[in-house]
Amino acid sequence: MRRKTSSGSGSLAKSGGTSMPLRRITSTSLEASRGARRLDRLEPEHLEKLYARMMANGSAAGTAHQAHRTIRTALGEAVRRGHLARNPAALAKPPRLPDSEVQPYTVPEVQAILRAASSRRNSARWAVALALGLRQGEALGLKWPDVDLDNGTLTVRRALLRPKWRHGCDGECEQKLPGQCPDRVNERPVAADTKSRAGRRSIGLPNALVELLRQHRKEQDAERETAAQLWRDEGWVFASPTGQAIHQATDYDEWKRLLKLAGVRDGRLHDARHTAATVLLVLGVSGRAVMGIMGWSNSAMAVRYQHMTDQVRRDIAQQLGGLLWGDPPRRRGESSNEPPAERPE
């Protein structure tokens, strides 16, 4: 009996946040590359050829790399359940990603974004992203019981899921994509518990962010009164004008508008998470504490998310100078060309 790779038992498609196009590309390409082989005869070389074929057919290296992670996770579950003796994806070489260093936003840029956000709905949403580094699904999945403003803590318990639409019209709408059907039905729950133990975490809130969230709750209460019977009281911290969860695409579009309004360079929404991680590096927060705040399961993620900014380099240089030559740390903007003080006779 052959194990399936595209549907049914043993599916390689993750049911969580993996997007439908990626699942379709992965399962279809794997079927084509696997041919008549049994899944338990799948070798690392077969997967490496799959990744090469994906990129030859126009997929980006990042897409092929994500497909590799999806397959590795699915086959790892098959090993855990005893369906496979080993995980060939764990031995396969993943596609090499291009060397493109993410540039986290600087402190002045973050301040400009927050100033621009202050005139928008859900302004605290962006403070949570830039200060705490929550993933998009985690921020949109927050509910008010997760936020303890009196004690200044926030607990991440769930993440908003991307909808998986199906036609609800029995094919009468003539729309090719289920998401365009006027009677579309979401086959997924709106949100799900975080996938890992590391993802479920409590984070301390800066006093300024506590005040922003207090003000945000007052503004949401006013919107509830305005919406009247149209309001759906689902408890979301960041909600639509009628109380419903905010779609990820709507959230992304607002981020792009916010960057233009702030007059800062364009960037991905996920760059806010890189920014928060780098700020923790600048502050000298311990690696274990950073892992807890960011929700990482291993310290290797710091290499990916924490970036060597000019400020970090200056701090290291000053610490090195103090250790080797006894140089006192200079204040920001202080010139290093001042003549040394005369030593007492």
Side-chain angles (χ1 to χ4, degrees), residues 124-125 127-129 131-135 137-158 194 198-206 209-210 212-214 216 237-238 292-295:
R125 155 77 179 99
V128 165
L132 306 182
L134 266 62
R135 302 172 179 91
E138 293 173 340
L140 298 181
L142 287 173
K143 293 193 173 186
W144 282 114
D146 304 326
V147 184
D148 186 347
L149 296 180
D150 292 332
N151 293 314
T153 60
L154 176 152
T155 302
V156 178
R157 294 188 174 94
R158 72 190 68 78
T194 52
R200 295 186 294 273
R201 61 200 188 277
S202 293
I203 306 172
L205 300 175
L209 184 49
V210 170
L212 280 175
L213 288 168
R214 288 189 193 278
H216 170 66
V237 173
F238 305 115
I293 294 171
M294 301 300 295

mmCIF file of all heavy atoms in Angstrom, residues 124-125 127-129 131-135 137-158 194 198-206 209-210 212-214 216 237-238 292-295:
data_model
loop_
_atom_site.group_PDB
_atom_site.id
_atom_site.type_symbol
_atom_site.label_atom_id
_atom_site.label_comp_id
_atom_site.label_asym_id
_atom_site.label_seq_id
_atom_site.Cartn_x
_atom_site.Cartn_y
_atom_site.Cartn_z
ATOM 1 N N ALA A 124 -2.388 50.645 18.655
ATOM 2 C CA ALA A 124 -1.570 49.829 19.558
ATOM 3 C C ALA A 124 -1.101 48.537 18.892
ATOM 4 O O ALA A 124 -0.134 47.928 19.345
ATOM 5 C CB ALA A 124 -2.351 49.503 20.828
ATOM 6 N N ARG A 125 -1.781 48.148 17.820
ATOM 7 C CA ARG A 125 -1.384 46.936 17.082
ATOM 8 C C ARG A 125 0.073 47.028 16.646
ATOM 9 O O ARG A 125 0.825 46.049 16.725
ATOM 10 C CB ARG A 125 -2.316 46.771 15.879
ATOM 11 C CG ARG A 125 -1.752 45.983 14.688
ATOM 12 C CD ARG A 125 -1.770 44.508 14.960
ATOM 13 N NE ARG A 125 -1.263 43.759 13.835
ATOM 14 C CZ ARG A 125 -0.031 43.278 13.740
ATOM 15 N NH1 ARG A 125 0.855 43.514 14.706
ATOM 16 N NH2 ARG A 125 0.348 42.556 12.704
ATOM 17 N N ALA A 127 2.460 49.054 17.880
ATOM 18 C CA ALA A 127 3.355 49.107 19.034
ATOM 19 C C ALA A 127 3.650 47.703 19.536
ATOM 20 O O ALA A 127 4.790 47.383 19.908
ATOM 21 C CB ALA A 127 2.733 49.952 20.142
ATOM 22 N N VAL A 128 2.650 46.832 19.527
ATOM 23 C CA VAL A 128 2.847 45.440 19.927
ATOM 24 C C VAL A 128 3.812 44.744 18.975
ATOM 25 O O VAL A 128 4.689 43.976 19.390
ATOM 26 C CB VAL A 128 1.485 44.708 19.970
ATOM 27 C CG1 VAL A 128 1.677 43.196 20.028
ATOM 28 C CG2 VAL A 128 0.668 45.172 21.170
ATOM 29 N N ALA A 129 3.681 45.026 17.673
ATOM 30 C CA ALA A 129 4.552 44.392 16.685
ATOM 31 C C ALA A 129 5.994 44.841 16.839
ATOM 32 O O ALA A 129 6.925 44.023 16.844
ATOM 33 C CB ALA A 129 4.051 44.694 15.277
ATOM 34 N N ALA A 131 7.495 46.593 19.398
ATOM 35 C CA ALA A 131 8.114 46.522 20.724
ATOM 36 C C ALA A 131 8.250 45.096 21.226
ATOM 37 O O ALA A 131 9.238 44.755 21.880
ATOM 38 C CB ALA A 131 7.297 47.345 21.731
ATOM 39 N N LEU A 132 7.271 44.240 20.909
ATOM 40 C CA LEU A 132 7.256 42.877 21.455
ATOM 41 C C LEU A 132 7.602 41.822 20.422
ATOM 42 O O LEU A 132 7.896 40.686 20.784
ATOM 43 C CB LEU A 132 5.885 42.570 22.068
ATOM 44 C CG LEU A 132 5.373 43.564 23.115
ATOM 45 C CD1 LEU A 132 4.023 43.089 23.657
ATOM 46 C CD2 LEU A 132 6.374 43.733 24.243
ATOM 47 N N GLY A 133 7.535 42.156 19.134
ATOM 48 C CA GLY A 133 7.915 41.197 18.104
ATOM 49 C C GLY A 133 6.940 40.067 17.891
ATOM 50 O O GLY A 133 7.331 38.995 17.405
ATOM 51 N N LEU A 134 5.664 40.256 18.220
ATOM 52 C CA LEU A 134 4.698 39.188 17.995
ATOM 53 C C LEU A 134 4.527 38.930 16.506
ATOM 54 O O LEU A 134 4.550 39.856 15.688
ATOM 55 C CB LEU A 134 3.339 39.556 18.608
ATOM 56 C CG LEU A 134 3.067 39.055 20.029
ATOM 57 C CD1 LEU A 134 4.067 39.649 21.005
ATOM 58 C CD2 LEU A 134 1.643 39.367 20.452
ATOM 59 N N ARG A 135 4.356 37.676 16.155
ATOM 60 C CA ARG A 135 4.041 37.320 14.779
ATOM 61 C C ARG A 135 2.666 37.885 14.433
ATOM 62 O O ARG A 135 1.843 38.147 15.311
ATOM 63 C CB ARG A 135 4.056 35.804 14.590
ATOM 64 C CG ARG A 135 5.393 35.142 14.948
ATOM 65 C CD ARG A 135 5.259 33.629 14.924
ATOM 66 N NE ARG A 135 6.516 32.956 15.228
ATOM 67 C CZ ARG A 135 6.904 32.595 16.454
ATOM 68 N NH1 ARG A 135 6.121 32.870 17.508
ATOM 69 N NH2 ARG A 135 8.049 31.981 16.648
ATOM 70 N N GLY A 137 -0.037 36.502 13.144
ATOM 71 C CA GLY A 137 -1.142 35.693 13.647
ATOM 72 C C GLY A 137 -1.289 35.784 15.156
ATOM 73 O O GLY A 137 -2.412 35.747 15.685
ATOM 74 N N GLU A 138 -0.162 35.904 15.868
ATOM 75 C CA GLU A 138 -0.208 36.007 17.328
ATOM 76 C C GLU A 138 -0.839 37.323 17.765
ATOM 77 O O GLU A 138 -1.654 37.353 18.696
ATOM 78 C CB GLU A 138 1.200 35.886 17.909
ATOM 79 C CG GLU A 138 1.820 34.515 17.729
ATOM 80 C CD GLU A 138 3.274 34.466 18.172
ATOM 81 O OE1 GLU A 138 3.905 35.544 18.264
ATOM 82 O OE2 GLU A 138 3.791 33.355 18.398
ATOM 83 N N ALA A 139 -0.455 38.423 17.106
ATOM 84 C CA ALA A 139 -1.006 39.730 17.463
ATOM 85 C C ALA A 139 -2.499 39.791 17.163
ATOM 86 O O ALA A 139 -3.296 40.261 17.991
ATOM 87 C CB ALA A 139 -0.261 40.833 16.721
ATOM 88 N N LEU A 140 -2.896 39.312 15.987
ATOM 89 C CA LEU A 140 -4.303 39.343 15.618
ATOM 90 C C LEU A 140 -5.122 38.326 16.408
ATOM 91 O O LEU A 140 -6.350 38.446 16.473
ATOM 92 C CB LEU A 140 -4.454 39.092 14.111
ATOM 93 C CG LEU A 140 -3.796 40.129 13.189
ATOM 94 C CD1 LEU A 140 -4.039 39.767 11.733
ATOM 95 C CD2 LEU A 140 -4.303 41.535 13.485
ATOM 96 N N GLY A 141 -4.470 37.335 16.990
ATOM 97 C CA GLY A 141 -5.170 36.319 17.774
ATOM 98 C C GLY A 141 -5.324 36.671 19.245
ATOM 99 O O GLY A 141 -5.907 35.887 20.010
ATOM 100 N N LEU A 142 -4.832 37.834 19.664
ATOM 101 C CA LEU A 142 -4.955 38.235 21.067
ATOM 102 C C LEU A 142 -6.408 38.537 21.416
ATOM 103 O O LEU A 142 -7.147 39.149 20.644
ATOM 104 C CB LEU A 142 -4.115 39.485 21.337
ATOM 105 C CG LEU A 142 -2.595 39.320 21.379
ATOM 106 C CD1 LEU A 142 -1.929 40.685 21.486
ATOM 107 C CD2 LEU A 142 -2.179 38.430 22.556
ATOM 108 N N LYS A 143 -6.795 38.101 22.623
ATOM 109 C CA LYS A 143 -8.099 38.466 23.174
ATOM 110 C C LYS A 143 -7.871 39.179 24.501
ATOM 111 O O LYS A 143 -6.826 39.022 25.139
ATOM 112 C CB LYS A 143 -8.983 37.231 23.355
ATOM 113 C CG LYS A 143 -9.390 36.589 22.025
ATOM 114 C CD LYS A 143 -10.500 35.571 22.200
ATOM 115 C CE LYS A 143 -11.017 35.074 20.851
ATOM 116 N NZ LYS A 143 -12.199 34.190 20.976
ATOM 117 N N TRP A 144 -8.869 39.965 24.917
ATOM 118 C CA TRP A 144 -8.678 40.794 26.106
ATOM 119 C C TRP A 144 -8.339 39.995 27.361
ATOM 120 O O TRP A 144 -7.550 40.480 28.185
ATOM 121 C CB TRP A 144 -9.911 41.668 26.325
ATOM 122 C CG TRP A 144 -9.939 42.849 25.404
ATOM 123 C CD1 TRP A 144 -10.827 43.103 24.405
ATOM 124 C CD2 TRP A 144 -8.998 43.936 25.381
ATOM 125 N NE1 TRP A 144 -10.502 44.268 23.752
ATOM 126 C CE2 TRP A 144 -9.389 44.805 24.336
ATOM 127 C CE3 TRP A 144 -7.872 44.260 26.129
ATOM 128 C CZ2 TRP A 144 -8.689 45.980 24.036
ATOM 129 C CZ3 TRP A 144 -7.172 45.422 25.827
ATOM 130 C CH2 TRP A 144 -7.581 46.268 24.797
ATOM 131 N N PRO A 145 -8.844 38.780 27.563
ATOM 132 C CA PRO A 145 -8.404 38.013 28.748
ATOM 133 C C PRO A 145 -6.916 37.669 28.728
ATOM 134 O O PRO A 145 -6.349 37.323 29.767
ATOM 135 C CB PRO A 145 -9.262 36.744 28.680
ATOM 136 C CG PRO A 145 -10.489 37.154 27.927
ATOM 137 C CD PRO A 145 -9.998 38.132 26.908
ATOM 138 N N ASP A 146 -6.261 37.789 27.558
ATOM 139 C CA ASP A 146 -4.819 37.520 27.454
ATOM 140 C C ASP A 146 -3.981 38.697 27.931
ATOM 141 O O ASP A 146 -2.764 38.563 28.080
ATOM 142 C CB ASP A 146 -4.429 37.213 25.999
ATOM 143 C CG ASP A 146 -5.214 36.067 25.407
ATOM 144 O OD1 ASP A 146 -5.534 35.131 26.160
ATOM 145 O OD2 ASP A 146 -5.518 36.110 24.194
ATOM 146 N N VAL A 147 -4.614 39.851 28.149
ATOM 147 C CA VAL A 147 -3.891 41.076 28.482
ATOM 148 C C VAL A 147 -4.235 41.498 29.908
ATOM 149 O O VAL A 147 -5.405 41.766 30.220
ATOM 150 C CB VAL A 147 -4.243 42.214 27.497
ATOM 151 C CG1 VAL A 147 -3.417 43.452 27.805
ATOM 152 C CG2 VAL A 147 -4.010 41.761 26.061
ATOM 153 N N ASP A 148 -3.230 41.529 30.769
ATOM 154 C CA ASP A 148 -3.400 41.969 32.156
ATOM 155 C C ASP A 148 -2.741 43.334 32.300
ATOM 156 O O ASP A 148 -1.536 43.444 32.558
ATOM 157 C CB ASP A 148 -2.766 40.951 33.104
ATOM 158 C CG ASP A 148 -3.023 41.271 34.578
ATOM 159 O OD1 ASP A 148 -3.469 42.406 34.864
ATOM 160 O OD2 ASP A 148 -2.773 40.410 35.436
ATOM 161 N N LEU A 149 -3.530 44.379 32.136
ATOM 162 C CA LEU A 149 -2.976 45.727 32.167
ATOM 163 C C LEU A 149 -2.590 46.148 33.582
ATOM 164 O O LEU A 149 -1.690 46.973 33.760
ATOM 165 C CB LEU A 149 -3.983 46.719 31.568
ATOM 166 C CG LEU A 149 -4.309 46.508 30.086
ATOM 167 C CD1 LEU A 149 -5.317 47.531 29.606
ATOM 168 C CD2 LEU A 149 -3.046 46.558 29.230
ATOM 169 N N ASP A 150 -3.251 45.604 34.580
ATOM 170 C CA ASP A 150 -2.919 45.968 35.967
ATOM 171 C C ASP A 150 -1.525 45.476 36.345
ATOM 172 O O ASP A 150 -0.779 46.175 37.040
ATOM 173 C CB ASP A 150 -3.956 45.393 36.932
ATOM 174 C CG ASP A 150 -5.321 46.057 36.758
ATOM 175 O OD1 ASP A 150 -5.350 47.231 36.339
ATOM 176 O OD2 ASP A 150 -6.346 45.391 37.016
ATOM 177 N N ASN A 151 -1.176 44.277 35.886
ATOM 178 C CA ASN A 151 0.141 43.715 36.187
ATOM 179 C C ASN A 151 1.142 43.903 35.053
ATOM 180 O O ASN A 151 2.298 43.490 35.160
ATOM 181 C CB ASN A 151 0.015 42.227 36.514
ATOM 182 C CG ASN A 151 -0.724 41.987 37.811
ATOM 183 O OD1 ASN A 151 -0.449 42.641 38.820
ATOM 184 N ND2 ASN A 151 -1.681 41.061 37.798
ATOM 185 N N GLY A 152 0.696 44.503 33.942
ATOM 186 C CA GLY A 152 1.595 44.785 32.835
ATOM 187 C C GLY A 152 2.138 43.555 32.136
ATOM 188 O O GLY A 152 3.328 43.481 31.823
ATOM 189 N N THR A 153 1.264 42.581 31.845
ATOM 190 C CA THR A 153 1.699 41.369 31.135
ATOM 191 C C THR A 153 0.736 41.038 30.004
ATOM 192 O O THR A 153 -0.441 41.421 30.025
ATOM 193 C CB THR A 153 1.781 40.153 32.074
ATOM 194 O OG1 THR A 153 0.487 39.909 32.644
ATOM 195 C CG2 THR A 153 2.804 40.371 33.173
ATOM 196 N N LEU A 154 1.263 40.336 29.034
ATOM 197 C CA LEU A 154 0.487 39.876 27.881
ATOM 198 C C LEU A 154 0.847 38.414 27.659
ATOM 199 O O LEU A 154 2.028 38.058 27.682
ATOM 200 C CB LEU A 154 0.824 40.731 26.669
ATOM 201 C CG LEU A 154 0.225 40.406 25.301
ATOM 202 C CD1 LEU A 154 0.116 41.687 24.468
ATOM 203 C CD2 LEU A 154 1.078 39.382 24.538
ATOM 204 N N THR A 155 -0.148 37.566 27.452
ATOM 205 C CA THR A 155 0.091 36.135 27.260
ATOM 206 C C THR A 155 -0.322 35.715 25.857
ATOM 207 O O THR A 155 -1.451 35.983 25.430
ATOM 208 C CB THR A 155 -0.684 35.301 28.296
ATOM 209 O OG1 THR A 155 -0.294 35.701 29.616
ATOM 210 C CG2 THR A 155 -0.378 33.818 28.126
ATOM 211 N N VAL A 156 0.593 35.093 25.139
ATOM 212 C CA VAL A 156 0.320 34.588 23.789
ATOM 213 C C VAL A 156 -0.164 33.152 23.916
ATOM 214 O O VAL A 156 0.566 32.283 24.414
ATOM 215 C CB VAL A 156 1.576 34.650 22.905
ATOM 216 C CG1 VAL A 156 1.287 34.073 21.517
ATOM 217 C CG2 VAL A 156 2.083 36.076 22.794
ATOM 218 N N ARG A 157 -1.394 32.904 23.505
ATOM 219 C CA ARG A 157 -1.985 31.563 23.614
ATOM 220 C C ARG A 157 -2.412 30.984 22.280
ATOM 221 O O ARG A 157 -2.515 29.766 22.143
ATOM 222 C CB ARG A 157 -3.220 31.612 24.526
ATOM 223 C CG ARG A 157 -2.928 31.932 25.983
ATOM 224 C CD ARG A 157 -4.178 31.754 26.827
ATOM 225 N NE ARG A 157 -3.880 31.912 28.249
ATOM 226 C CZ ARG A 157 -4.016 33.052 28.914
ATOM 227 N NH1 ARG A 157 -4.443 34.133 28.263
ATOM 228 N NH2 ARG A 157 -3.755 33.123 30.201
ATOM 229 N N ARG A 158 -2.703 31.846 21.316
ATOM 230 C CA ARG A 158 -3.268 31.360 20.055
ATOM 231 C C ARG A 158 -2.774 32.237 18.901
ATOM 232 O O ARG A 158 -2.184 33.296 19.125
ATOM 233 C CB ARG A 158 -4.803 31.389 20.105
ATOM 234 C CG ARG A 158 -5.406 32.776 20.037
ATOM 235 C CD ARG A 158 -6.888 32.794 20.333
ATOM 236 N NE ARG A 158 -7.133 32.453 21.730
ATOM 237 C CZ ARG A 158 -6.975 33.296 22.744
ATOM 238 N NH1 ARG A 158 -6.537 34.532 22.514
ATOM 239 N NH2 ARG A 158 -7.225 32.933 23.965
ATOM 240 N N THR A 194 -1.292 28.107 19.845
ATOM 241 C CA THR A 194 0.053 28.157 19.287
ATOM 242 C C THR A 194 0.620 26.750 19.164
ATOM 243 O O THR A 194 0.328 25.872 19.980
ATOM 244 C CB THR A 194 0.974 29.022 20.152
ATOM 245 O OG1 THR A 194 0.883 28.570 21.507
ATOM 246 C CG2 THR A 194 0.571 30.472 20.089
ATOM 247 N N ALA A 198 7.123 26.778 23.305
ATOM 248 C CA ALA A 198 7.831 28.060 23.327
ATOM 249 C C ALA A 198 6.940 29.199 22.853
ATOM 250 O O ALA A 198 7.077 30.334 23.298
ATOM 251 C CB ALA A 198 9.093 27.980 22.457
ATOM 252 N N GLY A 199 6.022 28.892 21.934
ATOM 253 C CA GLY A 199 5.128 29.923 21.424
ATOM 254 C C GLY A 199 4.141 30.415 22.456
ATOM 255 O O GLY A 199 3.695 31.560 22.403
ATOM 256 N N ARG A 200 3.765 29.551 23.410
ATOM 257 C CA ARG A 200 2.856 29.954 24.484
ATOM 258 C C ARG A 200 3.694 30.625 25.563
ATOM 259 O O ARG A 200 4.434 29.965 26.283
ATOM 260 C CB ARG A 200 2.122 28.741 25.046
ATOM 261 C CG ARG A 200 1.199 28.080 24.044
ATOM 262 C CD ARG A 200 0.376 26.970 24.677
ATOM 263 N NE ARG A 200 1.210 25.849 25.102
ATOM 264 C CZ ARG A 200 1.551 24.834 24.327
ATOM 265 N NH1 ARG A 200 1.149 24.811 23.063
ATOM 266 N NH2 ARG A 200 2.292 23.847 24.784
ATOM 267 N N ARG A 201 3.572 31.933 25.683
ATOM 268 C CA ARG A 201 4.477 32.667 26.551
ATOM 269 C C ARG A 201 3.822 33.921 27.103
ATOM 270 O O ARG A 201 2.873 34.445 26.524
ATOM 271 C CB ARG A 201 5.738 33.078 25.767
ATOM 272 C CG ARG A 201 5.449 33.993 24.566
ATOM 273 C CD ARG A 201 6.580 33.977 23.581
ATOM 274 N NE ARG A 201 6.444 34.956 22.506
ATOM 275 C CZ ARG A 201 5.728 34.750 21.411
ATOM 276 N NH1 ARG A 201 5.079 33.612 21.229
ATOM 277 N NH2 ARG A 201 5.666 35.692 20.479
ATOM 278 N N SER A 202 4.341 34.380 28.220
ATOM 279 C CA SER A 202 3.905 35.646 28.809
ATOM 280 C C SER A 202 5.030 36.657 28.660
ATOM 281 O O SER A 202 6.207 36.322 28.836
ATOM 282 C CB SER A 202 3.543 35.457 30.281
ATOM 283 O OG SER A 202 2.385 34.650 30.417
ATOM 284 N N ILE A 203 4.662 37.895 28.360
ATOM 285 C CA ILE A 203 5.632 38.948 28.080
ATOM 286 C C ILE A 203 5.287 40.170 28.930
ATOM 287 O O ILE A 203 4.117 40.546 29.051
ATOM 288 C CB ILE A 203 5.601 39.340 26.584
ATOM 289 C CG1 ILE A 203 5.791 38.099 25.697
ATOM 290 C CG2 ILE A 203 6.674 40.381 26.277
ATOM 291 C CD1 ILE A 203 5.577 38.378 24.223
ATOM 292 N N GLY A 204 6.298 40.779 29.525
ATOM 293 C CA GLY A 204 6.098 42.012 30.263
ATOM 294 C C GLY A 204 5.880 43.182 29.323
ATOM 295 O O GLY A 204 6.471 43.247 28.238
ATOM 296 N N LEU A 205 5.031 44.109 29.725
ATOM 297 C CA LEU A 205 4.697 45.263 28.887
ATOM 298 C C LEU A 205 5.344 46.529 29.431
ATOM 299 O O LEU A 205 5.234 46.817 30.627
ATOM 300 C CB LEU A 205 3.176 45.462 28.836
ATOM 301 C CG LEU A 205 2.341 44.304 28.280
ATOM 302 C CD1 LEU A 205 0.860 44.626 28.424
ATOM 303 C CD2 LEU A 205 2.703 44.030 26.834
ATOM 304 N N PRO A 206 5.997 47.310 28.564
ATOM 305 C CA PRO A 206 6.475 48.623 29.004
ATOM 306 C C PRO A 206 5.297 49.493 29.437
ATOM 307 O O PRO A 206 4.177 49.347 28.929
ATOM 308 C CB PRO A 206 7.158 49.197 27.753
ATOM 309 C CG PRO A 206 7.413 48.017 26.866
ATOM 310 C CD PRO A 206 6.337 47.029 27.158
ATOM 311 N N LEU A 209 3.358 51.144 26.698
ATOM 312 C CA LEU A 209 2.493 50.252 25.933
ATOM 313 C C LEU A 209 1.229 49.919 26.722
ATOM 314 O O LEU A 209 0.147 49.762 26.147
ATOM 315 C CB LEU A 209 3.253 48.979 25.559
ATOM 316 C CG LEU A 209 2.519 47.966 24.662
ATOM 317 C CD1 LEU A 209 1.908 48.650 23.447
ATOM 318 C CD2 LEU A 209 3.467 46.858 24.232
ATOM 319 N N VAL A 210 1.337 49.811 28.040
ATOM 320 C CA VAL A 210 0.158 49.597 28.878
ATOM 321 C C VAL A 210 -0.834 50.743 28.684
ATOM 322 O O VAL A 210 -2.043 50.531 28.518
ATOM 323 C CB VAL A 210 0.557 49.470 30.365
ATOM 324 C CG1 VAL A 210 -0.685 49.508 31.257
ATOM 325 C CG2 VAL A 210 1.327 48.183 30.602
ATOM 326 N N LEU A 212 -1.032 52.753 26.098
ATOM 327 C CA LEU A 212 -1.579 52.674 24.739
ATOM 328 C C LEU A 212 -2.717 51.669 24.666
ATOM 329 O O LEU A 212 -3.747 51.921 24.017
ATOM 330 C CB LEU A 212 -0.474 52.280 23.753
ATOM 331 C CG LEU A 212 0.486 53.374 23.280
ATOM 332 C CD1 LEU A 212 1.578 52.774 22.415
ATOM 333 C CD2 LEU A 212 -0.270 54.449 22.500
ATOM 334 N N LEU A 213 -2.559 50.535 25.332
ATOM 335 C CA LEU A 213 -3.597 49.504 25.312
ATOM 336 C C LEU A 213 -4.828 49.936 26.104
ATOM 337 O O LEU A 213 -5.957 49.605 25.745
ATOM 338 C CB LEU A 213 -3.038 48.187 25.849
ATOM 339 C CG LEU A 213 -2.062 47.469 24.906
ATOM 340 C CD1 LEU A 213 -1.328 46.341 25.631
ATOM 341 C CD2 LEU A 213 -2.804 46.907 23.689
ATOM 342 N N ARG A 214 -4.623 50.682 27.182
ATOM 343 C CA ARG A 214 -5.773 51.222 27.925
ATOM 344 C C ARG A 214 -6.581 52.173 27.032
ATOM 345 O O ARG A 214 -7.813 52.111 26.980
ATOM 346 C CB ARG A 214 -5.298 51.953 29.178
ATOM 347 C CG ARG A 214 -4.772 51.061 30.286
ATOM 348 C CD ARG A 214 -4.549 51.888 31.553
ATOM 349 N NE ARG A 214 -3.781 51.160 32.538
ATOM 350 C CZ ARG A 214 -4.282 50.264 33.382
ATOM 351 N NH1 ARG A 214 -5.579 50.001 33.347
ATOM 352 N NH2 ARG A 214 -3.507 49.650 34.263
ATOM 353 N N HIS A 216 -6.566 52.208 23.803
ATOM 354 C CA HIS A 216 -7.142 51.415 22.718
ATOM 355 C C HIS A 216 -8.442 50.750 23.164
ATOM 356 O O HIS A 216 -9.415 50.698 22.397
ATOM 357 C CB HIS A 216 -6.135 50.353 22.257
ATOM 358 C CG HIS A 216 -6.701 49.348 21.313
ATOM 359 N ND1 HIS A 216 -7.123 49.672 20.038
ATOM 360 C CD2 HIS A 216 -6.946 48.016 21.456
ATOM 361 C CE1 HIS A 216 -7.593 48.585 19.437
ATOM 362 N NE2 HIS A 216 -7.494 47.573 20.276
ATOM 363 N N VAL A 237 -8.597 41.715 20.769
ATOM 364 C CA VAL A 237 -7.962 42.978 21.145
ATOM 365 C C VAL A 237 -7.933 43.917 19.948
ATOM 366 O O VAL A 237 -8.246 45.114 20.063
ATOM 367 C CB VAL A 237 -6.539 42.734 21.687
ATOM 368 C CG1 VAL A 237 -5.812 44.060 21.910
ATOM 369 C CG2 VAL A 237 -6.582 41.938 22.983
ATOM 370 N N PHE A 238 -7.568 43.395 18.797
ATOM 371 C CA PHE A 238 -7.541 44.183 17.569
ATOM 372 C C PHE A 238 -8.630 43.641 16.650
ATOM 373 O O PHE A 238 -8.512 42.520 16.142
ATOM 374 C CB PHE A 238 -6.167 44.123 16.914
ATOM 375 C CG PHE A 238 -5.061 44.531 17.846
ATOM 376 C CD1 PHE A 238 -4.094 43.622 18.253
ATOM 377 C CD2 PHE A 238 -5.007 45.829 18.353
ATOM 378 C CE1 PHE A 238 -3.085 43.997 19.125
ATOM 379 C CE2 PHE A 238 -4.010 46.210 19.227
ATOM 380 C CZ PHE A 238 -3.048 45.297 19.625
ATOM 381 N N GLY A 292 12.534 33.599 25.332
ATOM 382 C CA GLY A 292 11.227 33.611 25.970
ATOM 383 C C GLY A 292 10.322 34.692 25.422
ATOM 384 O O GLY A 292 9.118 34.471 25.228
ATOM 385 N N ILE A 293 10.875 35.868 25.154
ATOM 386 C CA ILE A 293 10.070 36.977 24.633
ATOM 387 C C ILE A 293 9.635 36.707 23.200
ATOM 388 O O ILE A 293 8.472 36.932 22.828
ATOM 389 C CB ILE A 293 10.870 38.292 24.719
ATOM 390 C CG1 ILE A 293 11.107 38.681 26.187
ATOM 391 C CG2 ILE A 293 10.135 39.418 23.985
ATOM 392 C CD1 ILE A 293 12.065 39.832 26.362
ATOM 393 N N MET A 294 10.545 36.205 22.384
ATOM 394 C CA MET A 294 10.263 36.016 20.967
ATOM 395 C C MET A 294 9.522 34.710 20.673
ATOM 396 O O MET A 294 9.006 34.515 19.571
ATOM 397 C CB MET A 294 11.566 36.052 20.169
ATOM 398 C CG MET A 294 12.360 37.353 20.295
ATOM 399 S SD MET A 294 11.450 38.799 19.728
ATOM 400 C CE MET A 294 11.273 38.432 17.979
ATOM 401 N N GLY A 295 9.507 33.791 21.628
ATOM 402 C CA GLY A 295 8.823 32.523 21.398
ATOM 403 C C GLY A 295 9.617 31.548 20.566
ATOM 404 O O GLY A 295 9.053 30.747 19.816
#
